[in-house]
Amino acid sequence: MKVLVLNCGSSSIRYKLFDMPEGQASTGGLLERIGESSSVLRHTSAGREVRREGRVPDHKEGLSWVVRALMDPEHGAIREPSEIDAVGHRVVHGGVRFTGSVLVTPEVLEAIREFSTLAPLHNPPNLIGIEAAGDLLPHAPQVAVFDTAFHGTMPRYAYLYAIPYEYYEKYHIRRYGFHGTSHRYVTLRAAQILGRPLEELRLITCHLGNGCSMAAVKGGRSVDTSMGFTPLEGLVMGTRSGDVDPAIIPFLGRREGLSADEVEKVLNRRSGLLGLSGISNDMREVERAAEGGDERAKLALEVFAYRVKKYIGAYIAVLGGLDALVFTAGIGENSYRMRERICEGLEVFGIALDHRRNRRTVGRREEDISREGSPVRVLVVPTDEELLIAEDTFDIVTKEGGWKG
Ligand code: AMP
């Protein structure tokens, strides 16, 4: 079965075509700047990138570019659109309703539309992508895979904020958590790497990329996560502050003459590594500056690592112990220095790095970087959300989508 995985952003479409159930991705790419005067498609096939530029006014036209690239006699993988058997979509917010992936039906579409109030930047483009795929590939069943779904197993005491309960009832204000597909993927891989049943494992998964979040995973189920009502809560990120005292918001509003929306922008776009260092939101640049002696860059790294460390302590308490700590995403997979900073001083919890192994683990490579004999395994597991979306799509379409093969 050929499964097209789509991740539609407000002005972009990321795509990958998988052969399932083998899980092989033959081609993929990224179309950016949809709706602008000139859009760019970067299509990769057999390790080679081809580039195409032109005007793409909307996602429907964008998707037809993608399908044409997939049908290219030289760089494509199919001869006609009908060869795409199913489409899997990354959808950011599944609200209180979706705790797993689902076949897209008119009712599901309506629910995703309803949850746009909770994710106004993300759900609308996800919806447009589903509608465009429905128009262009009407024969192909579609599956929605939600970023929030994996955290749907959090207990009430973990997801409720201590604000008047009526706001939870009226507006569904609660913690949802995000990056769920990534946390689920590394959870499944960690159990395989450790060769132990998922049901008996207590894991802390750290997705440290431009956006950062952690999850406490007990027996394969997320029981807590650091992002909340929106992806702003929790860890220090590239440009996001993570946890702050909410009283800072009106304070800054008064002192700087900013509206609540403007302060929210400051917390989302001008904070985190960028705000602290004044240099960049990119970990590589902040690390380079810190090595060159820049004090603010050093401070940014310290605050970043300290916040992760605090959550590790909290989640060990939540889980009642720990079997493995898992690092993933751009920083988690590549920055041995940050992994070192985070794990420093955690021997008391049984977390100890094999420094040689840690230092040579960069790039997309799975590795156990813990010291021989230490009680907690520390793993680096490159995330692969697209593969998990393709797997969910394959499973659901073969079971419920009427696929004849
Ligand atoms: P992601 O959002 O998963 O693509 O991750 C992006 C983040 O990973 C950025 O902060 C990058 O600076 C960081 N990153 C990527 N490669 C490295 C590296 N070799 N060393 C340190 N940070 C890295």
Side-chain angles (χ1 to χ4, degrees):
M1 180 193 290
K2 288 206 187 299
V3 174
L4 177 62
V5 171
L6 293 178
N7 181 356
C8 296
S10 56
S11 63
S12 67
I13 301 176
R14 194 179 283 282
Y15 62 97
K16 220 173 199 182
L17 187 66
F18 284 87
D19 283 315
M20 300 305 290
E22 299 81 5
Q24 295 299 325
S26 41
T27 52
L30 174 64
L31 172 64
E32 286 180 293
R33 305 214 293 260
I34 296 172
E36 293 180 26
S37 55
S38 178
S39 316
V40 184
L41 174 76
R42 287 191 194 84
H43 177 81
T44 308
S45 167
R48 259 194 58 210
E49 187 183 285
V50 271
R51 205 180 139 94
R52 199 180 147 203
E53 281 182 43
R55 206 175 114 63
V56 179
D58 54 34
H59 283 71
K60 191 168 172 193
E61 179 63 20
L63 193 58
S64 75
W65 272 45
V66 168
V67 173
R68 252 180 280 144
L70 291 172
M71 293 192 326
D72 186 283
E74 220 180 308
H75 313 290
I78 55 172
R79 271 159 300 151
E80 42 188 297
S82 63
E83 287 178 44
I84 297 172
D85 297 301
V87 184
H89 293 266
R90 175 187 182 213
V91 180
V92 167
H93 218 305
V96 284
R97 178 159 160 199
F98 299 112
T99 52
S101 305
V102 290
L103 196 65
V104 173
T105 61
E107 205 205 342
V108 167
L109 266 180
E110 204 36 54
I112 297 173
R113 200 181 315 277
E114 195 188 315
F115 299 138
S116 290
T117 51
L118 299 174
L121 298 180
H122 295 103
N123 273 27
N126 297 158
L127 259 178
I128 291 170
I130 296 175
E131 282 165 352
D135 286 345
L136 276 168
L137 307 165
H139 62 281
Q142 304 194 62
V143 168
V145 179
F146 300 95
D147 247 27
T148 47
F150 184 56
H151 306 299
T153 46
M154 275 194 284
R156 271 156 75 85
Y157 55 77
Y159 71 63
L160 279 179
Y161 292 109
I163 61 175
Y165 192 75
E166 70 208 58
Y167 296 138
Y168 165 62
E169 292 179 309
K170 234 163 125 177
Y171 305 118
H172 305 299
I173 296 179
R174 49 160 279 180
R175 307 184 57 255
Y176 291 97
F178 298 86
H179 290 147
T181 313
S182 177
H183 288 291
R184 179 158 63 103
Y185 177 82
V186 299
T187 292
L188 297 170
R189 282 301 309 150
Q192 282 165 352
I193 294 166
L194 297 169
R196 290 178 58 185
L198 199 52
E199 296 69 35
E200 67 178 41
L201 285 177
R202 294 160 303 177
L203 305 175
I204 296 176
T205 52
C206 309
H207 178 109
L208 308 178
N210 205 14
C212 300
S213 70
M214 287 169 62
V217 184
K218 196 171 196 170
R221 294 155 69 91
S222 170
V223 292
D224 203 352
T225 190
S226 58
M227 282 178 168
F229 181 56
T230 73
L232 181 55
E233 190 180 340
L235 302 177
V236 175
M237 315 186 204
T239 59
R240 281 172 254 169
S241 61
D243 297 335
V244 293
D245 181 342
I248 292 172
I249 297 162
F251 179 91
L252 266 182
R254 285 191 297 269
R255 291 299 177 98
E256 294 276 313
L258 301 174
S259 67
D261 282 353
E262 285 167 332
V263 179
E264 191 192 351
K265 268 193 196 137
V266 170
L267 298 178
N268 264 309
R269 301 188 190 166
R270 288 178 43 208
S271 301
L273 287 177
L274 173 66
L276 281 168
S277 68
I279 291 168
S280 173
N281 63 314
D282 190 300
M283 181 57 86
R284 282 165 293 201
E285 288 184 34
V286 180
E287 284 188 337
R288 216 171 291 135
E291 265 168 61
D294 188 282
E295 287 304 322
R296 291 251 309 268
K298 282 188 207 165
L299 191 63
L301 298 179
E302 280 168 15
V303 178
F304 185 99
Y306 179 73
R307 187 80 55 88
V308 176
K309 219 185 259 256
K310 265 206 324 199
Y311 271 94
I312 291 174
Y315 287 171
I316 290 174
V318 163
L319 294 167
L322 184 64
D323 296 298
L325 176 67
V326 186
F327 287 104
T328 193
I331 299 168
E333 291 165 29
N334 294 296
S335 175
Y336 71 84
R337 289 188 191 86
M338 186 45 74
R339 293 192 300 255
E340 238 166 53
R341 267 180 201 277
I342 291 168
C343 294
E344 195 188 329
L346 296 184
E347 290 81 5
V348 63
F349 296 119
I351 297 169
L353 289 184
D354 176 323
H355 289 288
R356 271 208 11 232
R357 236 186 269 161
N358 180 44
R359 278 172 196 214
R360 55 164 210 247
T361 304
V362 284
R364 295 193 59 77
R365 205 167 103 208
E366 290 181 343
E367 190 74 55
D368 182 337
I369 55 170
S370 43
R371 196 176 301 160
E372 201 67 42
S374 64
V376 174
R377 303 285 88 203
V378 184
L379 305 177
V380 176
V381 180
T383 192
D384 197 341
E385 289 156 277
E386 284 129 340
L387 176 59
L388 202 50
I389 295 174
E391 284 176 355
D392 277 11
T393 304
F394 174 78
D395 285 348
I396 289 175
V397 167
T398 41
K399 282 190 200 115
E400 306 169 29
W403 195 65
K404 307 281 188 309

